[in-house]
Amino acid sequence: MRADKDATTADHRTRSYYMNEGKFLWIDRKGVDGRADTLLHWLRGVGDMGFSTRRFCVGSLEQDLRSVRTLQLDSTQQGNVNAVLARLEYRLTKAYFRYVAGQRFGFTNPSYLLNRLDTIEPSRYDSVKRPVRYRGLFDIPVDRVGRDFFLMAVRKVEVDSLGVFLSEVQPRSEFYRALQKRLTEVRGDKNLRAKILCNMERCRWREKDPMQNHSKYVVVNIPSMHLMAIDHHDTLSMRIGFGSLKTKTPLLTSRIKYMEVNPQWVIPRSIIDKDVAHHAGDWHYFHSRNYYVVDRKTGKPVDFSQVSFSMLRNHNYSVVQRGGKGNSLGRLIFRFDNNFSVFLHDTSSKGVFSREDRSVSHGCVRVEKPYELGVFLMHEKNQQLMDKLKYSMTADSLANRRMIVRNIKVDPQVPLYITYLTLYPMAGGRMAEYADIYGFDKVIYSALQPYL
């Protein structure tokens, strides 16, 4: 135990168990019973998961178990009965904890991996020793392993319900099984095997509210650069624009609450500082873009003659783009609760959807077919409301006020999943393959190295 330097959560829990004088789980005065064989049966299968059996002590466990059962022991320090039984006890628990925790919760922690990936300036300790700040990129509620799980795992061994428990912790999704089958078919392609392993790991991250719980939902898959709106067997698909490498679109789950027609755009502070502030005094620049400045304390517009560079750099003032034609958010935005101020929305730059590289935004997701998505979200396809929505998205004046609609409530709210799958299940059992746009696969694959 003291010589073991492995540092996964399961390894720490194993050491903690025995350091706190946890009783033996696998051996007693009669030797080692069939529970060890049950565990070894499952551990031998880690090769089909793309992992190394050596990382789960399979070879050494088999050898020591054989030595005990055939009494092939000697008087050497490593071969006497006490040493062999001690190794068996410790390594069985270590391999067991590694396996059940990994299969049930994932062998990696996505919150730790992805929320420590991109730094926010200043990215290093400065003169006043402010800590490094990271950009949040993963906000999907997933089950996380804790002390109670390992205590339960111990009880399962004690009451001899090990086989049932090992079956229960396996990932249940059909996609996981399809990926595992594909892995056994791929031999020489190292890159594809790595991609399969990363997506298998994503399947182990059990979401608290998974897609399969719903018959109607919207999923945005960043690597495919597409949005799919699914209602039972009906599917609406469209291209998207999404966050650039510097301002990645975060992965999250939420529920779409309402649609806002002809929204105003409150310009992010980063864009004001970089692109807008130095245009202070240029009336044509602001007028041509429908920009105006607002005093955040009063909520009132500021007379343009008073707008200065220092005012634009002051956080007490905001720059807002009026809604309507030419607005950067387009004619329709889809609002949902999240911690990043990102949304799905239309765009005035329609040419982005014909581009191969559509990583163009500051984090929001631009949708190719906003009207069609709006209709999809309606619980009842009310023709009058659909007509009003279409008119409001195209009208350049308020001549027909009876046809203008501002907000449309989505009731019931529709679940939204912004996810990152570089392999994606398609109809007929096919599997689409996508580029690792943000490099998340590379990060996950590196974290899986202790098991490969």
Side-chain angles (χ1 to χ4, degrees), residues 4-53:
D4 185 4
K5 304 302 181 183
D6 289 339
T8 71
T9 299
D11 302 330
H12 286 299
R13 288 293 178 183
T14 305
R15 285 192 287 272
S16 176
Y17 177 78
Y18 290 110
M19 284 180 177
N20 288 286
E21 300 185 354
K23 59 185 179 181
F24 289 177
L25 297 177
W26 310 94
I27 64 174
D28 57 25
R29 62 188 181 85
K30 297 179 181 179
V32 185
D33 64 21
R35 289 172 297 179
D37 300 290
T38 299
L39 176 59
L40 273 167
H41 168 75
W42 289 90
L43 294 180
R44 292 185 186 104
V46 299
D48 293 334
M49 295 157 41
F51 293 164
S52 168
T53 55

Side-chain angles (χ1 to χ4, degrees), residues 166-330:
L166 286 164
S167 178
E168 288 174 344
V169 299
Q170 302 303 315
R172 295 298 180 190
S173 73
E174 293 182 9
F175 184 40
Y176 178 85
R177 289 193 289 271
L179 287 168
Q180 189 169 9
K181 181 177 182 295
R182 185 79 178 99
L183 185 67
T184 62
E185 299 168 349
V186 176
R187 295 300 177 189
D189 193 334
K190 182 179 179 180
N191 292 332
L192 180 54
R193 285 183 63 86
K195 184 165 289 193
I196 295 172
L197 289 173
C198 291
N199 286 279
M200 287 175 66
E201 176 66 3
R202 291 184 177 100
C203 292
R204 297 186 185 102
W205 302 336
R206 312 287 180 92
E207 296 184 21
K208 295 184 183 296
D209 184 24
M211 293 182 207
Q212 53 264 35
N213 284 1
H214 306 281
S215 58
K216 182 175 181 177
Y217 58 92
V218 174
V219 56
V220 173
N221 186 33
I222 300 300
S224 70
M225 298 185 280
H226 271 76
L227 174 151
M228 287 193 296
I230 298 167
D231 187 358
H232 293 86
H233 297 295
D234 295 331
T235 302
L236 170 67
S237 177
M238 66 189 72
R239 295 184 172 198
I240 60 165
F242 53 94
S244 68
L245 279 176
K246 289 186 177 180
T247 54
K248 298 178 178 69
T249 296
L251 310 183
L252 58 88
T253 60
S254 188
R255 289 174 178 264
I256 300 175
K257 301 175 71 173
Y258 68 96
M259 302 173 256
E260 184 180 347
V261 187
N262 292 316
Q264 292 190 333
W265 180 39
V266 180
I267 301 176
R269 175 55 49 186
S270 59
I271 298 179
I272 294 175
D273 293 343
K274 181 179 179 180
D275 299 327
V276 179
H278 65 275
H279 288 285
D282 186 348
W283 177 87
H284 178 75
Y285 173 85
F286 282 79
H287 179 71
S288 64
R289 290 165 175 77
N290 273 326
Y291 290 173
Y292 65 98
V293 180
V294 174
D295 186 325
R296 297 180 63 184
K297 292 181 179 178
T298 65
K300 296 181 179 180
V302 177
D303 187 289
F304 182 76
S305 62
Q306 300 177 5
V307 175
S308 64
F309 176 81
S310 60
M311 179 184 290
L312 294 178
R313 295 297 300 271
N314 191 320
H315 286 221
N316 291 324
Y317 297 90
S318 295
V319 180
V320 180
Q321 185 180 39
R322 295 180 179 86
K325 185 178 180 180
N327 185 278
S328 294
L329 299 179

Side-chain angles (χ1 to χ4, degrees), residues 372-383:
E372 290 84 347
L373 181 57
V375 171
F376 169 87
L377 293 172
M378 295 178 184
H379 182 58
E380 295 181 0
K381 303 300 184 276
N382 183 304
Q383 188 61 50

Side-chain angles (χ1 to χ4, degrees), residues 345-356:
H345 64 82
D346 181 22
T347 178
S348 57
S349 304
K350 302 293 186 181
V352 68
F353 300 114
S354 61
R355 292 170 49 176
E356 185 174 345

